[in-house]
Amino acid sequence: MRDWYFIGDSHVQSFEVAAALRLLNRKARCLLVPGATSIGLRNPESQTHAVALFKEALLPALADAIPVIQLGEVDCGFVIWWRAQKHGDSVERQLADSVAACAAFVDDLLDAGYPTLVLTGAVLPTIRDGQSQGKVARARHEVTATLRQRTELTHRYNARLRDEAEARGLPFVDITPCITDPESGLVAEEFRNRNPRDHHLEPVRAAEVWAEALNRLDLPP
């Protein structure tokens, strides 16, 4: 049976935890690049060099792996807003550019010979309005978008990413309904990291939800 090969930003750590706890129905390999973005996939000279690292790991196509792409939290939580401010552009245009860059990367993998891969929705933002605790929160202080605005943007990003997956006949996994507080519409408190300085989801809870969703997929062995 082919392995999961998880690639993406630092939120890939949820899959690392799932693998460590043996929650997944396949063996797993993980490559996470902190700060990696969807928009950065079109730029091999990006600050993180993420696309070069991802392609080095996944190309030529691996016969024993199913890539799983987890990107977008950095885009929806920071980069889209920052680029819109910097370039005097619309948030919607920056959103479209980010999704298009991710879709182009997916096409590169399919063209290289992968019969399938899994796209995953960006996780909901957790950084509170005005929060200054934590390295990531401080690094994103230039963006004034509220938590609700960032959450709504994440929904739109994931909807567009789902469309791209469906257009290619690829599975799409989005845990947003499982981690959303039905009253506030924001990330549920039980999925917030116990460390207020950490913007990642609570590790074990997130790992359990991701594993359950992935294990349900009907994929070739």
Side-chain angles (χ1 to χ4, degrees), residues 105-146:
F105 176 69
V106 167
D107 287 338
D108 285 345
L109 296 183
L110 295 176
D111 289 345
Y114 284 103
T116 192
L117 56 84
V118 180
L119 275 172
T120 64
V123 299
L124 293 180
T126 63
I127 297 174
R128 301 180 191 272
D129 297 343
Q131 179 178 333
S132 60
Q133 286 182 304
K135 180 180 179 180
V136 172
R138 289 193 298 273
R140 299 183 182 182
H141 76 280
E142 293 178 69
V143 166
T144 59
T146 66

Coordinates of all heavy atoms in Angstrom, one line a residue, residues 105-146:
F105 N 0.6 24.0 -9.2 CA 1.5 23.0 -8.6 C 0.9 21.6 -8.6 O 1.6 20.6 -8.9 CB 1.8 23.4 -7.1 CG 2.6 22.5 -6.3 CD1 4.0 22.3 -6.6 CD2 2.1 21.7 -5.3 CE1 4.8 21.4 -5.9 CE2 2.9 20.8 -4.6 CZ 4.2 20.7 -4.9
V106 N -0.4 21.5 -8.3 CA -1.1 20.2 -8.4 C -0.9 19.7 -9.8 O -0.6 18.5 -10.0 CB -2.5 20.4 -8.0 CG1 -3.4 19.2 -8.4 CG2 -2.7 20.7 -6.6
D107 N -1.1 20.5 -10.8 CA -1.0 20.1 -12.2 C 0.4 19.6 -12.5 O 0.6 18.6 -13.3 CB -1.4 21.2 -13.2 CG -2.9 21.5 -13.2 OD1 -3.7 20.6 -12.8 OD2 -3.3 22.6 -13.6
D108 N 1.4 20.2 -12.0 CA 2.8 19.8 -12.2 C 2.9 18.3 -11.7 O 3.6 17.5 -12.3 CB 3.8 20.7 -11.5 CG 3.9 22.0 -12.2 OD1 3.6 22.2 -13.3 OD2 4.5 23.0 -11.5
L109 N 2.4 18.1 -10.5 CA 2.5 16.7 -9.9 C 1.7 15.7 -10.7 O 2.2 14.6 -11.0 CB 2.0 16.7 -8.5 CG 2.7 17.6 -7.5 CD1 2.1 17.4 -6.1 CD2 4.2 17.2 -7.5
L110 N 0.5 16.1 -11.2 CA -0.3 15.1 -12.0 C 0.4 14.9 -13.4 O 0.5 13.7 -13.8 CB -1.7 15.7 -12.3 CG -2.5 15.9 -11.0 CD1 -3.9 16.5 -11.4 CD2 -2.8 14.5 -10.3
D111 N 1.0 15.9 -13.9 CA 1.7 15.8 -15.2 C 2.9 14.9 -15.1 O 3.4 14.2 -16.0 CB 2.1 17.2 -15.8 CG 0.9 18.0 -16.3 OD1 -0.2 17.4 -16.4 OD2 1.1 19.2 -16.4
A112 N 3.5 14.9 -13.9 CA 4.7 14.1 -13.6 C 4.4 12.6 -13.5 O 5.3 11.8 -13.5 CB 5.4 14.6 -12.4
G113 N 3.1 12.3 -13.3 CA 2.7 10.9 -13.3 C 1.9 10.4 -12.0 O 1.6 9.2 -12.0
Y114 N 1.7 11.3 -11.1 CA 0.9 10.8 -9.9 C -0.6 10.6 -10.4 O -1.2 11.5 -11.0 CB 0.9 11.9 -8.8 CG 2.2 11.9 -8.0 CD1 3.1 12.9 -8.2 CD2 2.4 10.9 -7.1 CE1 4.3 12.9 -7.5 CE2 3.6 10.9 -6.3 CZ 4.5 11.9 -6.6 OH 5.7 11.9 -5.8
P115 N -1.1 9.4 -10.2 CA -2.5 9.2 -10.6 C -3.5 9.9 -9.8 O -4.6 10.2 -10.2 CB -2.7 7.7 -10.5 CG -1.6 7.3 -9.4 CD -0.5 8.2 -9.6
T116 N -3.1 10.2 -8.5 CA -4.0 11.0 -7.7 C -3.2 11.7 -6.6 O -2.0 11.3 -6.4 CB -5.1 10.1 -7.0 OG1 -6.1 10.9 -6.4 CG2 -4.5 9.2 -6.0
L117 N -3.8 12.6 -5.9 CA -3.2 13.2 -4.7 C -4.4 13.8 -4.0 O -5.5 13.9 -4.5 CB -2.2 14.3 -5.1 CG -2.6 15.5 -6.0 CD1 -3.2 16.6 -5.3 CD2 -1.3 16.0 -6.7
V118 N -4.1 14.3 -2.8 CA -5.2 14.8 -1.9 C -4.9 16.3 -1.6 O -3.8 16.6 -1.1 CB -5.3 14.0 -0.6 CG1 -6.4 14.6 0.3 CG2 -5.5 12.5 -0.8
L119 N -5.9 17.1 -1.9 CA -5.9 18.5 -1.5 C -6.6 18.6 -0.1 O -7.7 18.0 0.0 CB -6.5 19.4 -2.5 CG -5.6 19.8 -3.7 CD1 -6.5 20.5 -4.7 CD2 -4.5 20.7 -3.2
T120 N -6.1 19.4 0.8 CA -6.8 19.6 2.1 C -7.0 21.1 2.2 O -6.3 21.9 1.8 CB -5.9 19.1 3.2 OG1 -4.7 19.9 3.3 CG2 -5.6 17.6 3.1
G121 N -8.1 21.4 2.9 CA -8.5 22.7 3.2 C -7.6 23.4 4.2 O -7.0 22.7 5.1
A122 N -7.3 24.7 4.1 CA -6.6 25.4 5.1 C -7.3 25.4 6.4 O -8.5 25.4 6.5 CB -6.4 26.9 4.6
V123 N -6.5 25.3 7.5 CA -7.1 25.2 8.8 C -7.6 26.6 9.2 O -7.0 27.6 8.7 CB -6.2 24.7 9.9 CG1 -5.8 23.2 9.5 CG2 -4.9 25.5 10.0
L124 N -8.6 26.7 10.1 CA -9.1 28.0 10.5 C -8.1 28.8 11.3 O -7.3 28.2 12.0 CB -10.3 27.8 11.4 CG -11.6 27.2 10.7 CD1 -12.7 27.1 11.7 CD2 -12.0 28.1 9.5
P125 N -8.1 30.1 11.2 CA -7.1 30.9 12.0 C -7.5 30.9 13.5 O -8.7 30.7 13.8 CB -7.3 32.3 11.4 CG -8.7 32.3 10.9 CD -9.0 30.9 10.4
T126 N -6.5 31.0 14.3 CA -6.7 31.0 15.8 C -6.2 32.3 16.4 O -6.5 32.5 17.6 CB -5.9 29.8 16.4 OG1 -4.5 30.0 16.2 CG2 -6.4 28.5 15.8
I127 N -5.4 33.1 15.8 CA -4.8 34.3 16.4 C -6.0 35.3 16.6 O -6.7 35.7 15.7 CB -3.7 34.9 15.5 CG1 -2.6 33.9 15.4 CG2 -3.3 36.2 16.1 CD1 -1.5 34.4 14.4
R128 N -6.1 35.7 17.9 CA -7.2 36.5 18.3 C -6.9 38.0 17.8 O -5.8 38.4 17.6 CB -7.4 36.5 19.8 CG -7.7 35.1 20.3 CD -7.9 35.1 21.8 NE -7.9 33.8 22.4 CZ -9.0 33.0 22.5 NH1 -10.2 33.5 22.1 NH2 -9.0 31.8 23.1
D129 N -8.0 38.8 17.8 CA -7.9 40.2 17.4 C -7.0 40.9 18.5 O -7.2 40.8 19.7 CB -9.2 40.9 17.4 CG -10.1 40.3 16.3 OD1 -9.6 39.6 15.4 OD2 -11.4 40.5 16.4
G130 N -6.0 41.6 18.0 CA -5.1 42.3 18.9 C -4.1 41.5 19.7 O -3.4 42.0 20.5
Q131 N -4.0 40.2 19.4 CA -3.1 39.3 20.1 C -1.7 39.7 19.8 O -1.3 39.9 18.7 CB -3.4 37.9 19.8 CG -2.5 36.9 20.5 CD -2.8 35.4 20.1 OE1 -3.9 35.1 19.8 NE2 -1.8 34.6 20.2
S132 N -0.9 39.7 20.9 CA 0.6 40.0 20.7 C 1.4 38.9 21.3 O 2.7 38.9 21.1 CB 0.9 41.3 21.4 OG 0.6 41.3 22.8
Q133 N 0.8 37.9 21.9 CA 1.6 36.8 22.4 C 1.9 35.8 21.3 O 1.1 35.5 20.4 CB 0.7 36.0 23.4 CG 0.6 36.6 24.8 CD -0.2 35.7 25.7 OE1 -1.3 35.3 25.4 NE2 0.4 35.4 26.8
G134 N 3.2 35.4 21.2 CA 3.6 34.5 20.3 C 4.3 35.1 19.1 O 4.0 36.2 18.6
K135 N 5.3 34.4 18.6 CA 6.2 34.9 17.5 C 5.4 35.1 16.2 O 5.5 36.1 15.6 CB 7.3 33.8 17.2 CG 8.2 34.2 16.1 CD 9.3 33.1 15.9 CE 10.2 33.5 14.8 NZ 11.3 32.4 14.6
V136 N 4.5 34.2 15.9 CA 3.7 34.4 14.7 C 2.7 35.5 14.8 O 2.6 36.3 13.8 CB 3.0 33.0 14.3 CG1 2.0 33.2 13.1 CG2 4.0 31.9 14.0
A137 N 2.1 35.7 15.9 CA 1.1 36.8 16.1 C 1.8 38.1 15.9 O 1.3 39.0 15.3 CB 0.4 36.7 17.4
R138 N 3.0 38.2 16.5 CA 3.8 39.5 16.4 C 4.2 39.7 14.9 O 4.2 40.8 14.5 CB 5.0 39.4 17.3 CG 4.6 39.5 18.8 CD 5.9 39.8 19.7 NE 6.9 38.7 19.6 CZ 6.9 37.7 20.3 NH1 5.9 37.5 21.2 NH2 7.8 36.7 20.2
A139 N 4.6 38.6 14.3 CA 5.1 38.8 12.9 C 4.0 39.2 11.9 O 4.2 39.8 10.9 CB 5.7 37.5 12.4
R140 N 2.7 38.9 12.3 CA 1.6 39.3 11.5 C 0.9 40.6 11.9 O -0.3 40.8 11.5 CB 0.6 38.1 11.5 CG 1.1 36.8 10.9 CD 0.1 35.7 10.9 NE 0.6 34.5 10.4 CZ -0.1 33.3 10.2 NH1 -1.4 33.3 10.5 NH2 0.5 32.2 9.8
H141 N 1.5 41.3 12.8 CA 0.8 42.5 13.4 C 0.4 43.5 12.4 O -0.5 44.3 12.6 CB 1.6 43.1 14.5 CG 2.8 43.9 14.0 ND1 4.0 43.4 13.5 CD2 2.9 45.3 13.8 CE1 4.8 44.3 13.1 NE2 4.2 45.5 13.3
E142 N 1.1 43.6 11.2 CA 0.8 44.6 10.2 C -0.6 44.4 9.6 O -1.2 45.4 9.1 CB 1.8 44.6 9.1 CG 3.2 45.0 9.5 CD 4.1 44.8 8.3 OE1 4.0 45.6 7.3 OE2 5.0 44.0 8.3
V143 N -1.1 43.2 9.6 CA -2.4 42.9 9.1 C -3.5 43.2 10.1 O -3.4 42.6 11.2 CB -2.5 41.5 8.6 CG1 -3.9 41.1 8.3 CG2 -1.7 41.3 7.3
T144 N -4.5 44.0 9.8 CA -5.5 44.4 10.8 C -6.8 43.6 10.6 O -7.8 43.9 11.3 CB -5.8 45.9 10.7 OG1 -6.2 46.2 9.3 CG2 -4.5 46.7 11.0
A145 N -6.9 42.7 9.6 CA -8.1 41.9 9.4 C -8.5 41.2 10.7 O -7.6 40.7 11.4 CB -7.9 40.9 8.3
T146 N -9.8 41.2 11.0 CA -10.2 40.6 12.3 C -10.2 39.1 12.1 O -10.1 38.5 11.0 CB -11.6 41.0 12.6 OG1 -12.5 40.5 11.6 CG2 -11.8 42.6 12.7

